[in-house]
Amino acid sequence: MRNMTWDRRHLLQLEGMAAEDILAILEQAERWRAIAMGQAPRLDLLAGRTIANLFFEDSTRTRSSFTLAARRLGADTLDLAAAGSSVSKGETMTDTALNLQAMGVAAFVVRCKEAGVPHMLAKAVQIPVLNAGDGRHEHPTQGLLDIMTLRHRLGPDLKGRTIAIVGDIVNSRVARSAIHGLTTLGANVVLCGPPTLVPKSFESIVNSAAVGGRGKIKVDHDLDSMLPALDAIMMLRVQFERAGGGPSLISGDYHALYGLTAQRAARLSEHAVVLHPGPVNRGLELDSEVMDDTSSPHGRSAILQQVSNGVAVRMAAMAMLLAGAST
Ligand code: CP
């Protein structure tokens, strides 16, 4: 899936997306935060348009926030899953999309187990496709909301900041989008976890030499030694459902070696932020005590802030593709 060029008609990946395009979406999202949170009247920017949510894999956050984002832009939404649609009778996803396009939908939001399906649909249809997570490839709106959250906590310029991404990197579309988005903005990324889940080859996922000012990427398996130097730590869910997974994906000492315990969190610097894309395996990737540290004004955990920012980011992304807003 690597090195596909960024197609401005769709939002398929953060790989290849220019820093100014990332920042344009985030700045629009900032302007719409109150509307995104239901604290200001909805817009009519997409009135009369219908956004089709094609969720062929389960989701709570992404699906709900794309729906809320569309409605807060004035659009209607249509929800389809594999179960209950003719995909369960063998109709291809492309034929499904072509049939919905023939009914006048304005854009597709696509979540699926297989990497590359949003790209495949984008080639087949004439309307925008937004990738809501495809297999182990990318989850671009998650990457954008992660960056938005980090900018709130660390300041708008992430250049030179150090962000650790910890856990099941090999199976994670969230990690891939974060790696591309963060290094494009000049942040340094450290990938940490067991060697089976964090192979050294990830260091070549981005070509730092190719773009001036790009952040560096490093694999390091020693979580304890890196903690004091971090500006943020993103804990990832162990994805037992992915191919080759199951309980054998990790060994019994995973939590002891790579979990963000309260003791480890205490070794982070005072300003450091804890992220997790959700859903969380409480007590495995991080302790409840760390996850629930959301005390006002700035508890260490920004996990629910990430969720809130997701609505604004998805509003901005849909508006950019469907109404030219923020470009
Ligand atoms: N972060 C995320 O993609 O969560 P969902 O699977 O609930 O959408």
Side-chain angles (χ1 to χ4, degrees):
M1 294 303 304
R2 294 199 45 210
N3 295 323
M4 283 178 296
T5 53
W6 189 56
D7 182 342
R8 300 180 69 89
R9 292 168 301 169
H10 308 282
L11 181 55
L12 301 176
Q13 57 189 45
L14 294 191
E15 182 176 8
M17 195 166 178
E20 57 265 29
D21 291 319
I22 292 174
L23 295 174
I25 294 176
L26 296 181
E27 278 153 24
Q28 183 62 274
E30 294 296 345
R31 288 192 281 276
W32 283 342
R33 271 172 79 187
I35 302 167
M37 287 298 93
Q39 293 159 356
R42 64 177 57 189
L43 303 173
D44 59 6
L45 194 68
L46 300 185
R49 321 283 291 272
T50 301
I51 310 296
N53 288 320
L54 308 183
F55 275 68
F56 301 123
E57 186 184 56
D58 292 345
S59 166
T60 295
R61 281 146 288 271
T62 313
R63 184 175 183 156
S64 309
S65 67
F66 263 114
T67 299
L68 290 170
R71 292 181 186 169
R72 287 171 183 167
L73 288 169
D76 298 317
T77 56
L78 182 155
D79 286 304
L80 210 68
S85 77
S86 289
V87 170
S88 70
K89 300 180 212 162
E91 186 169 42
T92 66
M93 291 184 203
T94 301
D95 283 335
T96 302
L98 289 171
N99 277 269
L100 293 173
Q101 180 179 256
M103 294 180 211
V105 303
F108 291 113
V109 175
V110 182
R111 153 78 57 108
C112 51
K113 288 187 175 66
E114 302 83 7
V117 170
H119 295 73
M120 178 184 80
L121 296 184
K123 286 200 179 93
V125 300
Q126 279 78 48
I127 58 177
V129 176
L130 295 101
N131 181 1
D134 62 324
R136 303 196 293 182
H137 173 230
E138 278 220 38
H139 192 349
T141 55
Q142 178 72 43
L144 291 170
L145 72 87
D146 291 339
I147 294 168
M148 183 171 175
T149 307
L150 288 170
R151 292 177 89 220
H152 287 169
R153 292 298 193 96
L154 302 177
D157 188 0
L158 297 181
K159 265 192 203 76
R161 294 290 195 175
T162 302
I163 321 296
I165 307 179
V166 181
D168 185 3
I169 309 281
V170 78
N171 286 308
S172 178
R173 55 196 176 209
V174 172
R176 285 171 178 82
S177 288
I179 289 166
H180 290 298
L182 287 168
T183 56
T184 296
L185 297 181
N188 300 315
V189 174
V190 186
L191 303 177
C192 182
T196 47
L197 298 180
V198 190
K200 190 82 175 157
S201 58
F202 263 84
E203 287 185 349
S204 58
I205 193 171
V206 294
N207 183 356
S208 299
V211 185
R214 184 156 206 162
K216 294 184 174 47
I217 179 164
K218 186 172 86 168
V219 168
D220 183 341
H221 302 293
D222 183 357
L223 178 59
D224 287 308
S225 69
M226 71 181 70
L227 290 171
L230 299 178
D231 295 298
I233 182 165
M234 179 190 296
M235 307 306 296
L236 294 180
R237 183 172 69 87
V238 178
Q239 300 193 46
F240 294 107
E241 74 277 20
R242 297 277 170 226
S248 63
L249 193 64
I250 54 169
S251 64
D253 56 3
Y254 182 88
H255 177 70
L257 287 171
Y258 296 107
L260 188 57
T261 59
Q263 291 75 20
R264 284 199 173 106
R267 296 191 53 239
L268 291 164
S269 60
E270 204 177 331
H271 70 274
V273 190
V274 173
L275 304 179
H276 192 301
V280 177
N281 293 309
R282 274 183 188 261
L284 179 59
E285 296 111 27
L286 75 173
D287 288 357
S288 285
E289 192 179 335
V290 181
M291 180 173 169
D292 299 332
D293 177 14
T294 54
S295 56
S296 179
H298 285 320
R300 219 185 254 302
S301 168
I303 295 172
L304 292 179
Q305 245 186 304
Q306 290 173 268
V307 177
S308 299
N309 288 336
V311 183
V313 154
R314 286 161 181 138
M315 285 177 70
M318 283 191 280
M320 176 187 75
L321 296 175
L322 286 158
S326 90
T327 55

